[in-house]
Amino acid sequence: MDSKLMQIGEVAARTELSLRTIRHYEETGLVIPSARSQGGFRLYTETDVARLMVIRRMKPLGFTLEQMRDLLDATDRLDAATGQDADERDALLERVRTYRQAADEQVAKLRIQLARAEDFAATLSARLEQSTPAAPVRS
């Protein structure tokens, strides 16, 4: 899955993140390019892109960089699944469940905000329709 290496521009296009944002996530340690070209260009794998997509999806839900780091750590450790006992695995799964619950709560709040925004837009449309003079009827 990770055999193809992509430069940052392709990753930016695929993730709809700016180059600056991707570099910022690198600086904060959230996503480190898997390789560098001979010229020093960042090279990313599909796994790196998937990681950026997790971050991109967490951002509008209000998660902090530290929370993103914590969730990514938990999922990385679950994916590695080496040397974990049942208690450690259960603790990691509980961390992921906690983030899932927080995400569900934020989605519910956003749905309420969206419904209110749609109601507001409909109110404005109705107001415009009632305030627009009717075109004169021609015989």
Side-chain angles (χ1 to χ4, degrees), residues 29-82:
L30 288 174
V31 176
I32 306 299
S34 290
R36 293 263 181 179
S37 70
Q38 287 182 347
F41 294 105
R42 294 165 176 85
L43 297 174
Y44 297 86
T45 62
E46 289 294 333
T47 299
D48 299 328
V49 170
R51 190 174 182 91
L52 283 164
M53 292 302 293
V54 168
I55 296 165
R56 193 186 98 187
R57 291 176 182 127
M58 290 180 80
K59 184 82 173 134
L61 296 178
F63 288 102
T64 65
L65 292 177
E66 190 55 44
Q67 289 171 317
M68 292 174 192
R69 187 176 292 106
D70 184 53
L71 176 62
L72 290 167
D73 174 66
T75 57
D76 287 347
R77 290 172 57 195
L78 282 168
D79 290 346
T82 54

Side-chain angles (χ1 to χ4, degrees), residues 9-38:
E10 182 179 349
V11 172
R14 289 199 39 206
T15 60
E16 298 178 347
L17 293 169
S18 70
L19 301 177
R20 182 174 175 230
T21 298
I22 295 169
R23 288 183 189 117
H24 174 69
Y25 291 150
E26 178 185 356
E27 289 167 8
T28 60
L30 288 174
V31 176
I32 306 299
S34 290
R36 293 263 181 179
S37 70
Q38 287 182 347

Side-chain angles (χ1 to χ4, degrees), residues 61-112:
L61 296 178
F63 288 102
T64 65
L65 292 177
E66 190 55 44
Q67 289 171 317
M68 292 174 192
R69 187 176 292 106
D70 184 53
L71 176 62
L72 290 167
D73 174 66
T75 57
D76 287 347
R77 290 172 57 195
L78 282 168
D79 290 346
T82 54
Q84 296 173 357
D85 61 23
D87 289 340
E88 183 180 0
R89 184 166 180 76
D90 288 344
L92 292 170
L93 288 170
E94 185 56 34
R95 277 169 59 192
V96 174
R97 280 187 205 99
T98 299
Y99 284 107
R100 169 61 192 269
Q101 182 179 356
D104 288 344
E105 290 169 7
Q106 283 303 109
V107 167
K109 288 178 185 176
L110 287 171
R111 282 194 176 112
I112 291 167

